């Protein structure tokens, strides 16, 4: 059974037992949207939903095939969570693929960027090792995706 959550610009879909797909159209060229995903200073401005109340404490990115990333959220160092992994594919400005290695149940994330008439269609696809891993990761996340 598919579950969908959407607003005017963002759609979140549980496409299969192991997949989550988010699509969104941005009113801007593909190069700017790609840069927002691959430049730490820009990424820190938007990644954590303001409604979560959990700030992004640090962001390190070595955006190249084989490079790694580390993103830490929390109120302070003692109350934080770090997400990390490696880039499997970096094809500017059209595609990023990375692992989510913070747990054995982490997904592989693929993000594609497609420009049409000055707007960018972004498709984020997460593939989890199991339905349970997908459901646990998605708990509470879908409502925050449009933000």
């Amino acid at each position: 059974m598919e579950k969908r959550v959407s607003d005017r610009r963002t759609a979140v879909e549980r496409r299969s037992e192991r997949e989550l797909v988010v699509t969104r159209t941005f009113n801007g060229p593909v190069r700017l949207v790609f840069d927002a995903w691959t430049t730490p200073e820009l990424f820190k401005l938007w990644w954590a939903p303001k409604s979560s109340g959990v700030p992004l404490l640090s962001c390190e990115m070595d955006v190249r095939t084989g490079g790694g990333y580390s993103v830490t959220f929390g109120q302070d160092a003692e109350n934080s969570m770090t997400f990390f992994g490696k880039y499997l594919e970096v094809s500017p400005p059209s595609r990023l693929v990375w692992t989510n290695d913070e747990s054995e149940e982490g997904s592989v994330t693929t993000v594609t960027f497609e420009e049409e008439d000055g707007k960018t269609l972004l498709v984020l696809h997460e593939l989890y090792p199991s339905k349970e891993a997908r459901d646990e990761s998605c708990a509470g996340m879908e409502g925050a995706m449009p933000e």
Side-chain angles (χ1 to χ4, degrees):
M1 183 171 113
E2 291 181 2
K3 180 178 179 189
R4 289 177 165 251
V5 176
S6 65
D7 71 359
R8 293 182 307 145
R9 294 183 305 166
T10 305
V12 181
E13 176 185 0
R14 293 182 188 201
R15 189 164 287 172
S16 75
E17 287 192 349
R18 296 177 44 219
E19 295 173 283
L20 178 73
V21 177
V22 180
T23 56
R24 180 169 183 149
T25 300
F26 291 90
N27 189 15
V30 71
R31 172 52 64 193
L32 291 180
V33 178
F34 188 86
D35 286 351
W37 281 77
T38 58
T39 306
E41 298 77 25
L42 298 175
F43 190 83
K44 290 187 331 191
L45 296 174
W46 66 270
W47 184 253
K50 294 197 187 321
S51 65
S52 74
V54 181
L56 185 60
L57 298 176
S58 69
C59 175
E60 298 175 20
M61 300 171 139
D62 180 9
V63 185
R64 61 182 174 80
T65 300
Y69 72 91
S70 175
V71 180
T72 302
F73 296 90
Q75 300 301 330
D76 53 47
E78 292 177 4
N79 300 297
S80 65
M81 176 174 232
T82 300
F83 296 89
F84 58 92
K86 63 183 172 292
Y87 292 99
L88 301 176
E89 181 183 340
V90 177
S91 301
S94 59
R95 184 174 165 94
L96 295 169
V97 181
W98 67 84
T99 62
N100 294 275
D101 295 336
E102 60 276 352
S103 85
E104 293 178 8
E105 297 294 305
S107 65
V108 172
T109 302
T110 301
V111 182
T112 58
F113 307 81
E114 207 173 298
E115 187 170 338
E116 187 173 319
D117 298 326
K119 295 184 179 186
T120 300
L121 172 64
L122 180 141
V123 178
L124 180 143
H125 178 269
E126 293 197 316
L127 181 62
Y128 292 88
S130 67
K131 177 186 184 309
E132 295 75 22
R134 185 209 63 189
D135 290 348
E136 182 178 329
S137 179
C138 294
M141 180 176 69
E142 290 165 309
M145 280 289 187
E147 188 178 338

